[in-house]
Amino acid sequence: MSTSDTELKQSVHRSLIWSLVIAFVISLFAALLTACVDLAAGAHVMESLKSAWGTFYEVATLCMLVLTVFWAVRMAIIFKS
């Protein structure tokens, strides 16, 4: 494996990790926002937590789908050239 291949592999791994971290932060922010809105609307804490968990799960799933498509296209472009 040449140096450029190793550098490319490290760059891809670093970018993938940052993508996953960003997806987690976005999901966490959406869940916290949902919990705050529910609590402000007068919901009980447990109802608010259930709603927040559902939002976290849905947003995380959506982020993973988008990231999967993004990485599939990016890898196709990188390895095609």
Side-chain angles (χ1 to χ4, degrees):
M1 185 179 280
S2 69
T3 304
S4 63
D5 290 342
T6 304
E7 290 172 1
L8 176 64
K9 189 175 181 180
Q10 288 175 348
S11 174
V12 167
H13 285 156
R14 199 175 316 114
S15 297
L16 181 59
I17 289 169
W18 275 111
S19 298
L20 294 174
V21 168
I22 290 169
F24 177 78
V25 169
I26 290 171
S27 301
L28 189 62
F29 179 73
L32 290 173
L33 186 63
T34 300
C36 289
V37 169
D38 286 348
L39 288 172
H44 293 286
V45 173
M46 289 307 293
E47 292 173 1
S48 177
L49 289 175
K50 284 181 186 178
S51 179
W53 173 249
T55 300
F56 178 83
Y57 182 77
E58 291 168 359
V59 172
T61 303
L62 181 62
C63 285
M64 291 302 119
L65 284 171
V66 169
L67 286 173
T68 300
V69 171
F70 170 76
W71 279 101
V73 169
R74 185 170 178 184
M75 291 297 107
I77 291 170
I78 288 174
F79 291 115
K80 185 177 181 181
S81 56

